[in-house]
Amino acid sequence: MHIPDGFLDAKVAGTTALVSIGSLWVALRRVPAGAHRRVPLMGVCAAFIFVAQLVNFPVAAGTSGHLVGAALATVLLGPSAAAVVMASVVVVQALLFADGGVLSLGANLLNMAVVAVLAAAATFGLLRRVWPTTRGFYFATALASWSSIVAASGACALELAASHTVALPLALPAMTGAHTLIGLGEALITTLVLSTIVRARPELVTLPQAPAGSVVRPLVATGVVMLALVPMASKAPDGLEKVSESLGFSGLATGWAQAPLGSLPSGLLVALGAAVLGALAAATLAWVVSKALTTPSARSGHES
Amino acid sequence: MKADLGAFAGLDSPIHRAAPGLKLGGALALIVGVMLVPPTHAGWLGVPAVLVVGTLWASHLPIRFFVRRVLALEPLVLGVALLAWLQPGGAPVAALVMARSTLGLATAVLLAATTPFVRLLEVLRRLKVPPLLLTVVTLMSRYVYVLSDEAGRLDRARRSRSFVRARRFDWGNLAALVGHLFLRATNRAERIYAAMCARGWR
């Protein structure tokens, strides 16, 4: 998901850089001044996320994805610290490893340090509130990981399309479609990693201790999350077209969008279908994993 | 662990000696220039190409190292370029995107390979990047290799104690490894904090 230089035009690079700088400024101010002790922890955590990103997992048909870690950082450190940590990871990758462009740094920061963290924090916060049990914690973690990946890939597709590099009906299915699958891997790994941490050092994570209640509210909340993410595939083009019209974009991409590209509506339909299927798969995965992790026999059978 | 680009940052050449702020500014200007070349005048991309090759020559960097590092990052470029190629009339766009991002990549590799990371951080500090972010970035660049080695040790310890399932991908073991890496990282962070305080940090 690291966009290299040359893929984004000046408008997109500039806008995303401004939005990222503003968001990071807010995040930096929200890290409390008394969090003196947490500064080395954030530095080491950034290194940890970097190393964790080298972990590859199989997705489907021989392809593989790698961990992004935005949700992991959000659950472990809280959203503000997670945004700072993810920003450090992206900056070091660009400047020390040339992974992700220098000018597209703003866009990469936006996708992985802002959008991914916000999506994870919103999903996690909402689900934890409506399902305050240990099982709800794992369910929220899994769903937060999945939505962080889907939201970040959606933002990435929008940036590429707004730069006229790839037309939106092609970019969205290709990016978000693939990432609804990759997000499942991220959800599984993140949840299992957190269960390891909880078993070894329970004091590092605050687990809710409420008794199990009705599953109606969690179900409704899951539906809300899905509804927030799925329409990204269908609603976004209208908004983008409006933006591009008002900014006076012309030429290449507008030409493609209106070209006899019969797949224009069907491409978006594919994206929508993939998003719906992916959302159902993510909810099922979150359900199964959270159940397995909170069933006593499974816990003792699962050695570390 | 992939190696960073600092392996030859200690060489002595006019490019290595140049002020890091100048190099960062120059690299940014070059990449902006590459981005602004309009599709109708793609021939102008030859100017930044000549500049990149000239800088490479003046920097005494081993050509093989440079080419290998640029090629290592090229697959991602090819992926998106392929996507651009698939759309009607996309071939020239794909070629332009390829040329632009390869030049950008080459510039970034040159910058990182001729400038020690600490010098770049000094420039960022003078540019008023918030100190908290810079501290986290500095600590991170220091501990990336330490944690990478730690992950290697965890993996070796696990493999020496148990069978390896070669056929099936083992999510549980992988997650346990990452989880324990985090635990070791927090332990290390506590020791680093004590050491920093002992040396009068803040």
Side-chain angles (χ1 to χ4, degrees):
Chain A
M1 222 183 288
H2 293 76
I3 307 175
D5 278 324
F7 284 19
L8 301 177
D9 65 11
K11 273 187 204 112
V12 176
T15 315
T16 51
L18 284 181
V19 175
S20 301
I21 290 170
S23 317
L24 283 178
W25 187 77
V26 173
L28 281 165
R29 291 194 44 134
R30 281 185 41 143
V31 175
H36 195 213
R37 195 184 188 103
R38 281 166 68 87
V39 174
L41 180 63
M42 285 161 70
V44 177
C45 268
F48 161 72
I49 296 286
F50 185 101
V51 175
Q53 285 197 354
L54 301 177
V55 167
N56 278 292
F57 50 79
V59 178
T63 57
S64 69
H66 73 81
L67 205 67
V68 171
L72 188 57
T74 308
V75 175
L76 287 170
L77 303 171
S80 307
V84 176
V85 162
M86 291 306 293
S88 309
V89 172
V90 175
V91 167
V92 170
Q93 280 169 339
L95 291 184
L96 193 57
F97 293 84
D99 196 0
V102 181
L103 276 191
S104 30
L105 195 55
N108 286 329
L109 282 173
L110 185 65
N111 301 343
M112 280 175 280
V114 181
V115 172
V117 169
L118 277 181
T123 312
F124 187 70
L126 176 72
L127 278 164
R128 267 199 75 172
R129 189 161 304 158
V130 298
W131 197 1
T133 65
T134 305
R135 187 167 169 201
F137 170 83
Y138 289 125
F139 186 84
T141 304
L143 217 57
S145 317
W146 182 80
S147 47
S148 74
I149 298 299
V150 174
S153 71
C156 183
L158 286 183
E159 286 150 12
L160 288 179
S163 303
H164 306 337
T165 305
V166 183
L168 196 62
L170 195 62
L172 256 187
M175 283 295 294
T176 38
H179 282 87
T180 45
L181 264 181
I182 296 175
L184 296 180
E186 174 102 7
L188 186 55
I189 292 266
T190 307
T191 316
L192 291 177
V193 166
L194 272 167
S195 83
T196 305
I197 294 171
V198 166
R199 254 179 288 130
R201 293 268 307 267
E203 74 277 10
L204 288 178
V205 185
T206 42
L207 276 181
Q209 294 303 332
S214 143
V215 291
V216 175
R217 290 204 302 172
L219 272 180
V220 173
T222 308
V224 168
V225 173
M226 299 309 171
L227 283 179
L229 278 172
V230 166
M232 258 188 12
S234 61
K235 286 264 172 60
D238 308 336
L240 196 78
E241 249 162 49
K242 261 178 215 145
V243 171
S244 57
E245 269 168 22
S246 61
L247 288 179
F249 285 167
S250 59
L252 293 167
T254 334
W256 296 332
Q258 276 140 23
L261 190 73
S263 60
L264 197 148
S266 75
L268 289 177
L269 225 68
V270 168
L272 192 65
V276 171
L277 277 182
L280 288 177
T284 314
L285 178 80
W287 184 262
V288 170
V289 170
S290 63
K291 178 145 182 130
L293 285 175
T294 47
T295 308
S297 63
R299 192 186 286 175
S300 58
H302 185 86
E303 91 313 333
S304 54
Chain B
M1 179 78 194
K2 51 185 171 180
D4 67 41
L5 294 161
F8 295 96
L11 292 184
D12 188 39
S13 80
I15 307 295
H16 284 77
R17 280 194 298 271
L22 191 72
K23 276 190 276 188
L24 186 62
L28 272 177
L30 193 66
I31 298 173
V32 171
V34 166
M35 195 170 65
L36 290 180
V37 170
T40 45
H41 296 75
W44 281 98
L45 284 175
V47 178
V50 167
L51 277 173
V52 164
V53 172
T55 314
L56 175 63
W57 176 76
S59 69
H60 304 315
L61 284 178
I63 309 279
R64 281 184 57 151
F65 163 80
F66 174 80
V67 171
R68 203 178 300 152
R69 294 318 305 255
V70 173
L71 283 183
L73 292 157
E74 201 74 7
L76 192 74
V77 176
L78 277 175
V80 180
L82 190 70
L83 209 57
W85 200 291
L86 288 176
Q87 50 204 359
V93 182
L96 184 72
V97 161
M98 281 278 300
R100 277 182 181 167
S101 41
T102 306
L103 282 173
L105 203 55
T107 312
V109 169
L110 272 179
L111 174 70
T114 59
T115 321
F117 192 60
V118 190
R119 300 276 167 280
L120 280 181
L121 287 177
E122 279 166 16
V123 177
L124 293 182
R125 190 172 57 213
R126 266 183 276 135
L127 289 174
K128 300 271 188 285
V129 172
L132 175 58
L133 185 62
L134 272 188
T135 310
V136 174
V137 168
T138 312
L139 281 165
M140 178 196 164
S141 63
R142 166 69 180 78
Y143 287 103
V144 151
Y145 291 102
V146 176
L147 284 193
S148 169
D149 290 347
E150 193 100 280
R153 283 193 292 275
L154 282 167
D155 188 45
R156 191 160 2 111
R158 184 190 64 74
R159 276 189 287 126
S160 65
R161 286 178 196 145
S162 62
F163 294 106
V164 183
R165 286 196 212 141
R167 287 290 182 83
R168 225 185 71 201
F169 186 77
D170 196 341
W171 296 87
N173 270 334
L174 187 69
L177 193 146
V178 177
H180 281 288
L181 183 64
F182 175 77
L183 295 177
R184 293 198 178 183
T186 48
N187 285 341
R188 190 176 290 276
E190 277 156 26
R191 294 204 302 278
I192 295 166
Y193 177 71
M196 281 162 78
C197 288
R199 287 164 179 76
W201 181 58
R202 258 188 237 175

